[in-house]
Amino acid sequence: MLPIWPSLDLTILAASASSRLDADWSSFQYVDVPIPAPKKGELLIKLEATGLNPIDWKIQKGVIRPFLPPKFPFIPAVDVAGEIVSVGPGVNDFTTGDKVVSMLSTSSGGGLAEYAVAPIKTTVKRPPGISAENAAALPLAGLTALQAVRDSAGVKLDGSGKEINLLITAASGGVGHYAVQIAKLGRAHVTATCGARNVSLIKELGADEVLDYKTPEGAALKSPSGRKYDAVIHCTSNIPWTIFQPNLSPNGKVIDLTPNFMSLATTFVKKLTLSRQQIVPLLVSGNSKDLALMVNLVNEGKVKTIIDSKYPLEKAADAWAKSIDGHATGKIVVTFGE
């Protein structure tokens, strides 16, 4: 029996296999469902790899209800790479056989399946030099990092403009490890936080200063060189404004990627009081232009993807549990056999 609203259970369907997650996120059941058909402006992709993001299990957990999921059954995950097997009406820039990377609609999902329908507006061709796994890790995390660093923090990727002092929290995570590399393409001095085991990695990715978040200095977010931050790319949660505020420059801002009630309340108060220091929630815009830019940066070797672990579709439950655990270094990817 398929769960119906408002159950916390979800049924995850695949074109030839599907998974059912119970409220404890532990058990999967595989079933067959019809292969979807592309509509106008859509592509049907045979998937080779799917990248997981925290938003996937947050939807399943019910964090975003009643907005998502819109209905049951629901197929989670949105970051995919694969090969086009058919195109819908009005599609001219893609053809059968093209290797692509795409960000599916968050409301529709579809990534934990052997076939998925993707909109052309968030799909780009994948160069031969980028593996399916590296491509599937890229869309949501890469676009989030790009838009946070370039648009919200104001770092110019061509190296022009003034130097910006930037703090990136949870820098070894999916978004964070991209943000460090993107920021260093421009004139940014990057201070990053992560666990002790990842300090060397984040330095290798370009961070100027790295703090172990479990140390007193890391918990206080204080720059070892005494800098005040012009912007903070806040990739984690549960750090109060009182910790950020003394570390910000007079016009500094916190770009919050995981806003909650308290941070949104702080955002409102700061705007109401016309404070020069702000906390700004980030809403990611899925678009092919930015996705193509990220794909090109990876293809040119200017940005690299760190993959924490790979799981075949039949082990998707283990990938899901790993994502929920919250301590992956880089990205978790589900792969599909021939």
Side-chain angles (χ1 to χ4, degrees), residues 21-55:
L21 290 112
D22 293 322
D24 63 359
W25 315 297
S26 62
S27 65
F28 280 69
Q29 181 180 3
Y30 293 87
V31 300
D32 292 335
V33 296
I35 294 175
K39 300 177 182 178
K40 183 177 181 180
E42 293 181 337
L43 312 164
L44 177 63
I45 303 173
K46 180 176 173 56
L47 300 188
E48 298 171 5
T50 294
L52 297 185
N53 296 288
I55 188 65

Side-chain angles (χ1 to χ4, degrees), residues 173-192:
V175 174
H177 88 285
Y178 285 132
V180 169
Q181 298 174 80
I182 294 168
K184 292 308 295 180
L185 295 176
R187 293 192 62 202
H189 180 280
V190 174
T191 304

Side-chain angles (χ1 to χ4, degrees), residues 172-250:
S172 59
V175 174
H177 88 285
Y178 285 132
V180 169
Q181 298 174 80
I182 294 168
K184 292 308 295 180
L185 295 176
R187 293 192 62 202
H189 180 280
V190 174
T191 304
T193 69
C194 64
R197 66 187 175 95
N198 288 318
V199 168
S200 295
L201 170 64
I202 301 308
K203 286 182 178 178
E204 290 173 7
L205 293 181
D208 300 286
E209 304 173 332
V210 184
L211 298 167
D212 175 358
Y213 75 94
K214 289 188 176 180
T215 64
E217 296 80 10
L221 303 179
K222 291 190 177 298
S223 164
S225 59
R227 294 171 183 250
K228 297 296 184 179
Y229 307 121
D230 301 307
V232 177
I233 311 295
H234 185 31
C235 303
T236 184
S237 57
N238 300 320
I239 298 179
W241 173 258
T242 53
I243 299 295
F244 287 120
Q245 193 276 328
N247 294 300
L248 295 176
S249 64

Side-chain angles (χ1 to χ4, degrees), residues 88-263:
V91 175
N92 299 313
D93 295 331
F94 297 92
T95 188
T96 300
D98 285 346
K99 298 286 190 178
V100 294
V101 54
S102 182
M103 187 167 76
L104 310 179
S105 165
T106 305
S107 61
S108 301
L112 282 184
E114 291 180 336
Y115 295 85
V117 169
I120 59 173
K121 64 182 180 180
T122 52
T123 301
V124 300
K125 294 180 182 179
R126 169 165 56 99
I130 302 180
S131 69
E133 293 87 351
N134 281 345
L138 190 60
L140 183 56
L143 293 191
T144 300
L146 174 66
Q147 292 171 16
V149 171
R150 181 195 62 192
D151 303 335
S152 297
V155 176
K156 297 183 182 298
L157 304 191
D158 62 2
S160 63
K162 67 175 184 178
E163 183 179 70
I164 293 176
N165 292 320
L166 193 63
L167 170 67
I168 300 172
T169 63
S172 59
V175 174
H177 88 285
Y178 285 132
V180 169
Q181 298 174 80
I182 294 168
K184 292 308 295 180
L185 295 176
R187 293 192 62 202
H189 180 280
V190 174
T191 304
T193 69
C194 64
R197 66 187 175 95
N198 288 318
V199 168
S200 295
L201 170 64
I202 301 308
K203 286 182 178 178
E204 290 173 7
L205 293 181
D208 300 286
E209 304 173 332
V210 184
L211 298 167
D212 175 358
Y213 75 94
K214 289 188 176 180
T215 64
E217 296 80 10
L221 303 179
K222 291 190 177 298
S223 164
S225 59
R227 294 171 183 250
K228 297 296 184 179
Y229 307 121
D230 301 307
V232 177
I233 311 295
H234 185 31
C235 303
T236 184
S237 57
N238 300 320
I239 298 179
W241 173 258
T242 53
I243 299 295
F244 287 120
Q245 193 276 328
N247 294 300
L248 295 176
S249 64
N251 293 303
K253 57 185 174 181
V254 176
I255 301 154
D256 192 2
L257 309 189
T258 58
N260 55 31
F261 176 79
M262 288 303 298
S263 64

